[in-house]
Amino acid sequence: MVTGSQQLPSGHAATERGVIRKPGAGRIRVALVYPNLYHVGMSNLGFQTVYRLFNEIDHVVCERAFLPEQDGGKIRRVLTVESQKPIEDSDMIAFSISYENDAPGVLTILEAAGLPLPAAQRGATFPLVLAGGVFCFLNPEPLAPFIDAFLLGEAEALVSGFFQIFDPLADKQENLLAMARQVPGLYVPAFYRPRYHEDGTLAEVERLADVPASVSRLIVPDLSDLPTASTILTPDTTFDDTYLIEVSRGCSHGCRFCSAGYVYRPPRFRPFALLDRQVDDGCALTDRIGLVGAAVSDLPDIRELCDKDRGREVRFSFSSLRADALDRPLIEALKKGRVKTATIAPDAGSERMRRVVNKGITEDHVVAAAETLVAADIPNLKVYFMIGLPTETETDVAAIVDLVKQIKHRFLRTSRGKGHIGDITVSLNSFVPKPFTPFQWAAMDEVKTLKTKIKMVKTGLKKTANVRVHADVPRWAYLQGVIARGDRRVGDILLLAHKNKGNWPQTFKVSPVNPHYYVHRERDPDERFPWDFIDNGLDKSYLLKEYQRALDGRTSAPCPADPSKCSICGVCEGKPEG
């Protein structure tokens, strides 16, 4: 256990109890809250990183809290893990939010803490309510009525500047105004008022104070000296005593549905020397090392990192591998890790749809990857597909069935002589349009249509031995779509659902705000989006051109990941070669 005033060592794991620091005079007390259950929150490397960053600041004491388990239908009081104190006793309640479907948990936690849900009703006696995480710098507006301030961007670029200005003893409104003016990346919703056209689209955002018209999303240009790894190891999470190491941020491939490939531009990789030290740090604690990133197989030194002799057995696992990158060194790393199930993501069944989404891999890549994995005694395969993508037809859905059957055929052929045949798990995920992607203009399929497509795949593979099909629940994907593309009026839907104790069908039925408006409507090219006030460098006209290329079935080159060589998307200021 880490006790007293001792800070958490960078890159090392503490005990499950985390950092125990006594709140001395002048220290700011922060309750860092993940709006989901403990095992979900502690599986999130971003949440652990923010916890470490807060506690590295001398005048800050940060403790963790999570959505409590329900007790007979009632939510228990929210207590911190470290000292078991109510979160409302803190100077600040800071939410770390990664996913749209975690947004309702914010309201649950605020009410359990005894806080009025609308931020406008919380006076000086209540703690400041702050929120950050990738959900927030995609589109914070659905939660804007309930949050005092958002931090937009990567924590390493934001935390220090925030705590230089934040004063828990100052007048709340004066404090917020000073931070909105002086802290880059800070967004205070109360200082902005949206106005709408008669058709419901956003007309303008009126500033109610002298604050910036747009808020910059901040990122760290260079990760070379910024290690990101597990802060706390615990067996009670998805990763089960695995030491997680973030190897990169962003992705160069530009899949048009993926927000990570756009809001984290340009993609950045950590150097071998830093990652090598982090693997050694992890090996001192466990034999399980998890490499995390949007496209781990793109890491230039991944083969050298996994091949190095560290004097003990190291079991590597990877958050993502592309089917066109499975060469012998990576396969050997999987074998060393005693991996029995590997995951690849074709995302679409037909070549046409993979061009639409700009996936950059072919059917041959997918089938060859499956064959290579089985030959290396990795018998089980998870294959991820999306349904409901723009321009998708029944033929494209049927192509998912055909591709899985081809994979199964290779499985059988390669498994001969091994005495057993592994399983293929097909995961079907409903497409949800996300902000700051080329598909932010696209309409989402209706729930009934998504169910029909899922049924097509399940029926087509029903008689195929050793193949299981798992699909997400379309009505939850629908909710995700409402929140992902919602404006501030979606806050009314969240509030109504909270009062209805999470009964979403009833909520949608009686809501004066039509949720279909946000989900099933294709956007006009010149429509103003609720998230357009966030400046992350992306040229909106570039995203629109990419959407048009998608509709035409045309691919685009990957991001060169070199800020000096390209200015196509607007994030970097370089010039294209040639």
Side-chain angles (χ1 to χ4, degrees):
M1 181 182 295
V2 182
T3 58
S5 61
Q6 183 178 2
Q7 292 190 30
L8 196 66
S10 176
H12 289 274
T15 66
E16 204 295 311
R17 290 283 289 175
V19 178
I20 306 295
R21 300 172 66 190
K22 295 180 180 180
R27 279 185 172 159
I28 298 171
R29 297 169 300 168
V30 179
L32 179 63
V33 184
Y34 197 90
N36 208 319
L37 300 178
Y38 172 87
H39 74 276
V40 178
M42 287 308 297
S43 299
N44 188 288
L45 189 54
F47 175 79
Q48 291 206 29
T49 299
V50 174
Y51 175 69
R52 172 177 61 82
L53 290 171
F54 278 13
N55 278 305
E56 285 179 344
I57 299 174
D58 287 336
H59 64 286
V60 173
V61 178
C62 178
E63 300 186 6
R64 297 164 292 146
F66 304 89
L67 184 70
E69 299 277 2
Q70 289 195 13
D71 184 7
K74 297 181 179 180
I75 296 294
R76 300 170 184 164
R77 200 172 188 184
V78 185
L79 306 176
T80 63
V81 173
E82 285 75 8
S83 65
Q84 293 292 293
K85 291 183 178 179
I87 63 172
E88 61 268 27
D89 290 349
S90 304
D91 297 307
M92 181 194 308
I93 298 173
F95 286 98
S96 176
I97 313 172
S98 299
Y99 307 107
E100 289 85 1
N101 287 357
D102 287 335
V106 173
L107 277 66
T108 301
I109 290 169
L110 289 176
E111 182 176 77
L115 274 67
L117 294 182
Q121 296 180 14
R122 296 196 292 264
T125 59
F126 293 100
L128 184 83
V129 178
L130 184 73
V134 67
F135 166 86
C136 299
F137 61 92
L138 283 174
N139 178 21
E141 284 301 275
L143 281 178
F146 316 107
I147 302 297
D148 293 318
F150 292 92
L151 285 175
L152 308 182
E154 296 174 347
E156 295 92 342
L158 291 161
V159 168
S160 177
F162 173 83
F163 282 109
Q164 287 176 14
I165 304 298
F166 174 67
D167 181 359
L169 301 179
D171 176 81
K172 188 174 185 179
Q173 285 301 109
E174 291 181 1
N175 207 4
L176 286 170
L177 185 58
M179 291 190 295
R181 290 172 174 170
Q182 300 177 50
V183 179
L186 189 95
Y187 169 53
V188 180
F191 297 143
Y192 302 82
R193 181 166 58 201
R195 297 187 181 275
Y196 303 97
H197 293 296
E198 288 186 3
D199 65 357
T201 58
L202 183 63
E204 65 172 340
V205 178
E206 178 185 3
R207 282 180 285 167
L208 305 179
D210 183 17
V211 291
S214 63
V215 180
S216 296
R217 179 277 284 129
L218 299 189
I219 65 170
V220 180
D222 187 357
L223 299 175
S224 298
D225 296 321
L226 290 174
T228 299
S230 295
T231 300
I232 297 171
L233 288 185
T234 170
D236 303 317
T237 68
T238 304
F239 299 105
D240 192 19
D241 282 333
T242 299
Y243 188 84
L244 301 179
I245 300 172
E246 184 190 57
V247 302
S248 64
R249 289 182 188 167
C251 177
S252 66
H253 296 284
C255 296
R256 291 168 175 144
F257 56 81
C258 179
S259 55
Y262 292 92
V263 297
Y264 286 108
R265 286 195 174 196
R268 292 147 291 154
F269 297 94
R270 286 185 167 87
F272 173 80
L274 174 61
L275 296 175
D276 186 43
R277 291 197 301 272
Q278 287 185 280
V279 173
D280 284 342
D281 288 344
C283 287
L285 301 166
T286 179
D287 64 343
R288 299 179 181 182
I289 306 295
L291 303 183
V292 178
V296 173
S297 50
D298 287 348
L299 181 69
D301 302 307
I302 187 170
R303 291 148 187 86
E304 183 180 0
L305 192 69
C306 295
D307 279 347
K308 183 174 178 180
D309 183 3
R310 301 184 187 276
R312 63 172 296 181
E313 184 181 78
V314 182
R315 300 169 61 181
F316 283 100
S317 60
F318 307 92
S319 64
S320 59
L321 291 172
R322 282 177 61 89
D324 56 351
L326 287 176
D327 56 12
R328 182 174 295 278
L330 279 182
I331 292 293
E332 287 301 316
L334 290 170
K335 290 177 67 175
K336 283 182 181 179
R338 289 178 277 176
V339 170
K340 295 302 179 185
T341 302
T343 302
I344 56 176
D347 289 320
S350 67
E351 296 284 4
R352 187 191 76 82
M353 282 307 305
R354 282 191 288 275
R355 290 195 299 272
V356 169
V357 302
N358 204 43
K359 183 64 183 180
I361 62 173
T362 66
E363 184 177 284
D364 289 341
H365 287 135
V366 175
V367 176
E371 186 173 27
T372 301
L373 289 166
V374 176
D377 293 322
I378 301 169
N380 304 310
L381 185 65
K382 287 184 179 179
V383 192
Y384 280 83
F385 294 97
M386 301 188 78
I387 56 169
L389 288 160
T391 79
E392 184 181 68
T393 66
E394 285 190 7
T395 301
D396 297 312
V397 178
I400 295 175
V401 175
D402 294 338
L403 181 55
V404 173
K405 288 182 176 180
Q406 287 192 57
I407 293 171
K408 173 63 186 302
H409 175 72
R410 291 291 184 97
F411 255 52
L412 286 173
R413 191 174 71 179
T414 310
S415 297
R416 286 174 185 155
K418 293 183 177 293
H420 66 277
I421 298 173
D423 293 322
I424 301 172
T425 302
V426 177
S427 177
L428 299 178
N429 303 277
S430 301
F431 163 70
V432 177
K434 292 297 182 75
F436 296 115
T437 69
F439 287 165
Q440 64 183 345
W441 284 272
M444 185 174 167
D445 268 357
E446 294 186 4
V447 169
K448 182 178 179 180
T449 303
L450 293 170
K451 288 181 177 179
T452 299
K453 292 178 177 181
I454 291 170
K455 186 176 180 180
M456 283 181 60
V457 176
K458 288 186 173 180
T459 300
L461 295 172
K462 185 176 181 180
K463 296 182 180 180
T464 307
N466 300 94
V467 173
R468 296 176 296 174
V469 180
H470 293 163
D472 65 5
V473 180
R475 69 175 183 272
W476 291 118
Y478 174 89
L479 172 60
Q480 185 183 352
V482 172
I483 298 173
R485 293 209 295 183
D487 53 38
R488 203 170 289 194
R489 294 170 295 187
V490 169
D492 294 333
I493 300 178
L494 290 172
L495 187 58
L496 183 58
H498 178 73
K499 292 177 180 178
N500 289 335
K501 301 186 183 303
N503 187 332
W504 286 99
Q506 176 66 16
T507 297
F508 290 144
K509 183 178 179 180
V510 303
S511 172
V513 181
N514 182 6
H516 290 351
Y517 181 80
Y518 301 103
V519 178
H520 298 319
R521 181 176 61 86
E522 184 166 6
R523 306 300 196 259
D524 290 334
D526 58 351
E527 181 172 334
R528 183 193 292 267
F529 295 135
W531 51 88
D532 278 349
F533 75 92
I534 301 174
D535 178 12
N536 57 21
L538 278 170
D539 189 336
K540 192 174 179 181
S541 65
Y542 158 77
L543 294 175
L544 182 58
K545 289 177 183 177
E546 280 295 297
Y547 182 43
Q548 292 167 339
R549 290 178 69 87
L551 298 180
D552 293 337
R554 293 187 291 161
T555 61
S556 297
C559 171
D562 185 343
S564 68
K565 292 185 177 180
C566 181
S567 62
I568 293 174
C569 75
V571 172
C572 303
E573 298 179 356
K575 298 297 180 183
E577 290 183 319

